[in-house]
Structure formats: C-alpha cells, structure tokens
Amino acid sequence: MSRLWSPFVQNLVPYTPGEQPKHRSFVKLNTNENPYGPSPKVTAAIAGTNDDSLRLYPDPTAGDLRQAIAATHGLSTAQVFAGNGSDEVLAHAFNAFFRDKGPVLFADVTYSFYPTYCNLYGLEYRTLPLDAEFRLDPAAYAGPCGGIVIANPNAPTGRAPGLAAIRDVLDRNPDVVVIVDEAYVDFGGDSVAPLIAEYDNLLVVQTFSKSRSLAGLRVGFALGHPDLIEGLTRVKDSFNSYPLGRPALAGALAAWQDRAHFDETRAKVMASRAHVTEGLSAQGFTVLPSQANFVFARHPDVAGADLMAGLRERGILVRHFGAERIRDWLRISIGTEADCAALLAATADLVAH
C-alpha cells in the first residue's frame, strides 16, 4: 500500500479480470470473448473515422447509436443510454439508483463485479443463495431493500432465470430499481426488454462485447424508462461527458446494423456450445444448461483447480473461481470449432488420468 493512498483506496478490493497472456499463445477460453471477428462493416466504419474529425469531440449523447438501438426495441431514444462498456453502465447505475436506500440484493453466485461496485460506492449489499441447481428463487427477493441486480443469463453459471421469474421479482419490488444485466442474452436467452413498457423501475443493461465481437471497443447500453435514463445521464455527465470516441460510435452503429453477421456468428457459438456440452457430459462432467457463450462444468473425480492447471499446461486457458461453493467448477468460453476440439481432447486426457 502506498502512504499516499487515501484510506478509501486502501480498503478497496478491485475486480480481478481474466488473464490476457502476452508471452505465450493459448487457446483462450477464459474471458468469454467472441471467437469470431466483428462484421467487416465495423472495421470499414472505424477506418472511416481516421481523418481530421478526430480533432473534434465525439457526440456526447451518442445520438445515432441510441436511435438505432431504440428503433430495434420499439423504444424512444430517451429510453436508451450508451456508455463505455456495460461495466461502466452498471457502475453508473449502482451510483445513480442504489445510494442510501438499503441493501442491494443479488445472487451468491453471480458476476463478481457487483460487490465491487457496492464497495466502491459504500453500498450495503446482501447475497441470496441460488438453489442446489444454481437457479434463482424469486421469493427470496421479497421484503425491503435498496435495489436488485439479476444477470440474465447468469454468470458464471450460464443459466437464465426466465421471464416469469424476473417478472415475479419486479412485481414484488415496485419501488426500487431492478437491474437486469443481459451481457450474454443473445446466445439463447430471452431478453426482458419488452417488460420495460410495464415496469418503470426496470433497467436492462446489454453490451457489444460478446455477441457483436467488440470487447476491444468498449460499448454498452441500457434500456429503461426515460426517468432512469435521465438519472444515468446526470451521473455520466458528472463523470465523463464523452465516454465513447468517434471510432467506437461508428463501429458500434455498424455492428448494430449488420444483423446478418450478428445472427450468423451467434448461431455458430450456440452450435459449438451444444457440441462442447455433449462432449464434456460424455466424459463424465456435470454441465449446467447454458444460454450464454460459455459453459459451467465440473468433474466428480478431478478438482477444479487441478483441471484448470492441467488445461493450462496443455495450452488452454479457462476460468476458475475460488469461492467455496463453486471451487470445483470451471467456466469455459466457447471458441471456434478447432478451439472446442482442442478443449475436449485435453479434458479427455486429464480425466483419464
């Protein structure tokens, strides 16, 4: 710790991102990146911003991008917020809607950035246990609280709670904001965005990082009632009025407009996910049903840490979490067909020994 840090910084426990190796080539199945590149229209659009216009600030409202997203969802532009990746959007939402309102509720096994945000903003929070099959129990979300966050599908489990369960939670909590984090929804989940018309306290957060192959561009967005979007905008404009540069705005708009590429690549990922699930199951793994671009799996005879280490020795990176309840599980991103074949060959070798 530095003597120059404030006590606040000294007490922070930052989120730990997945490994990004620099000195060795791996089959990289640890950070849920899309194995297929973005639409060629994206790279062309980004190249088109490499001119004198870079001396000018970008549109602080991300108006064209928000308008395109709104049109797809049958919403007004006033119901769409854009930010620097869904992580920034979520951070602004925690700040805008959860301060001084009581404990924030989220699952005990879910995206590990949620408690990090709470600690950053000094928010009380309470985790609610998923059941033995890692499913959400809507009844657990009854009673006074300061806000709720649900991942749909959940990470790292890959399970989607389902529209009925999320509607149940919304019905039980009309007076606090319910954030539904849909980073992976395009890989087979059902978005709750259509419920925005019914619930003014619902905020749906999505990203361009996964299904549109733009993790390196950092673009995320939120959908909700105009009052929620105005609240996010007030926070954003008190922090950074220009979160998205001209290349990011141009690339994201091109990605959103190329529906054919989006559908083609996510279909490939879902097909490979089915193949990996079948292959791991045949090797004795338990694999949870997944609606994401990864699977969550464990083997009864090999510890999760040992599996992760063995895969790394064989040139394959996966994600392992040390929390007690999931210490024997691995989160395995879905790669190309060749990546998935390498994974299954490596796991077959590991469990055979």
Side-chain angles (χ1 to χ4, degrees), residues 115-174:
T116 299
Y117 296 138
C118 289
N119 292 330
L120 177 64
Y121 297 123
L123 307 176
E124 179 186 357
Y125 68 91
R126 187 166 76 247
T127 60
L128 303 176
L130 301 174
D131 71 13
E133 300 298 322
F134 296 103
R135 293 172 299 199
L136 180 144
D137 176 13
Y141 291 80
C145 70
I148 293 168
V149 189
I150 298 171
N152 172 46
N154 192 29
T157 68
R159 277 192 179 275
L163 293 182
I166 295 175
R167 182 186 285 277
D168 193 347
V169 172
L170 285 162
D171 287 337
R172 294 172 187 271
N173 298 275

Side-chain angles (χ1 to χ4, degrees), residues 70-310:
T72 298
H73 287 282
L75 302 172
S76 69
T77 306
Q79 291 176 281
V80 182
F81 175 87
N84 191 263
S86 62
D87 286 335
E88 182 188 79
V89 176
L90 287 165
H92 287 339
F94 274 62
N95 201 11
F97 307 124
F98 294 159
R99 280 184 179 268
D100 304 317
K101 289 188 173 182
V104 181
L105 308 182
F106 44 83
D108 64 333
V109 179
T110 192
Y111 187 27
S112 55
F113 228 138
Y114 301 157
T116 299
Y117 296 138
C118 289
N119 292 330
L120 177 64
Y121 297 123
L123 307 176
E124 179 186 357
Y125 68 91
R126 187 166 76 247
T127 60
L128 303 176
L130 301 174
D131 71 13
E133 300 298 322
F134 296 103
R135 293 172 299 199
L136 180 144
D137 176 13
Y141 291 80
C145 70
I148 293 168
V149 189
I150 298 171
N152 172 46
N154 192 29
T157 68
R159 277 192 179 275
L163 293 182
I166 295 175
R167 182 186 285 277
D168 193 347
V169 172
L170 285 162
D171 287 337
R172 294 172 187 271
N173 298 275
D175 298 319
V176 298
V177 172
V178 177
I179 297 175
V180 179
D181 180 0
E182 295 191 337
Y184 302 100
V185 75
D186 293 325
F187 297 104
D190 292 319
S191 175
V192 299
L195 300 184
I196 289 170
E198 301 177 47
Y199 298 95
D200 63 359
N201 63 324
L202 170 62
L203 187 76
V204 180
V205 178
Q206 295 188 8
T207 180
F208 281 73
S209 295
K210 313 301 182 184
S211 58
R212 288 180 169 82
S213 306
L214 292 180
L217 210 56
R218 313 308 303 132
V219 182
F221 62 95
L223 311 171
H225 189 278
D227 288 350
L228 297 183
I229 303 307
E230 182 181 353
L232 287 173
T233 303
R234 288 173 66 88
V235 171
K236 186 262 291 186
D237 286 342
S238 301
F239 176 75
N240 177 12
S241 294
Y242 304 97
L244 294 173
R246 288 175 175 269
L249 288 170
L253 180 59
W256 191 264
Q257 292 173 336
D258 193 347
R259 181 75 192 199
H261 183 84
F262 166 73
D263 285 337
E264 178 186 355
T265 53
R266 69 191 183 116
K268 288 181 179 179
V269 170
M270 288 188 282
S272 292
R273 182 184 67 206
H275 176 65
V276 168
T277 299
E278 181 181 358
L280 290 175
S281 298
Q283 295 173 12
F285 283 83
T286 298
V287 186
L288 293 186
S290 175
Q291 285 79 48
N293 67 336
F294 58 86
V295 295
F296 203 48
R298 67 175 176 87
H299 197 278
D301 300 326
V302 188
D306 292 339
L307 280 169
M308 180 190 69

Side-chain angles (χ1 to χ4, degrees), residues 6-71:
S6 70
F8 166 74
V9 173
Q10 292 180 13
N11 293 324
L12 284 178
V13 181
Y15 172 79
T16 302
E19 179 183 1
Q20 298 286 356
K22 294 182 174 63
H23 305 298
R24 179 181 169 187
S25 178
F26 286 93
V27 174
K28 196 168 178 299
L29 305 179
N30 65 324
T31 52
N32 298 341
E33 293 148 325
N34 197 315
Y36 304 106
S39 161
K41 296 179 181 179
V42 170
T43 51
I46 292 173
T49 66
N50 186 23
D51 57 24
D52 184 64
S53 68
L54 287 176
R55 67 185 178 81
L56 303 172
Y57 284 108
D59 177 6
T61 72
D64 291 344
L65 177 61
R66 290 169 54 232
Q67 185 176 31
I69 294 170

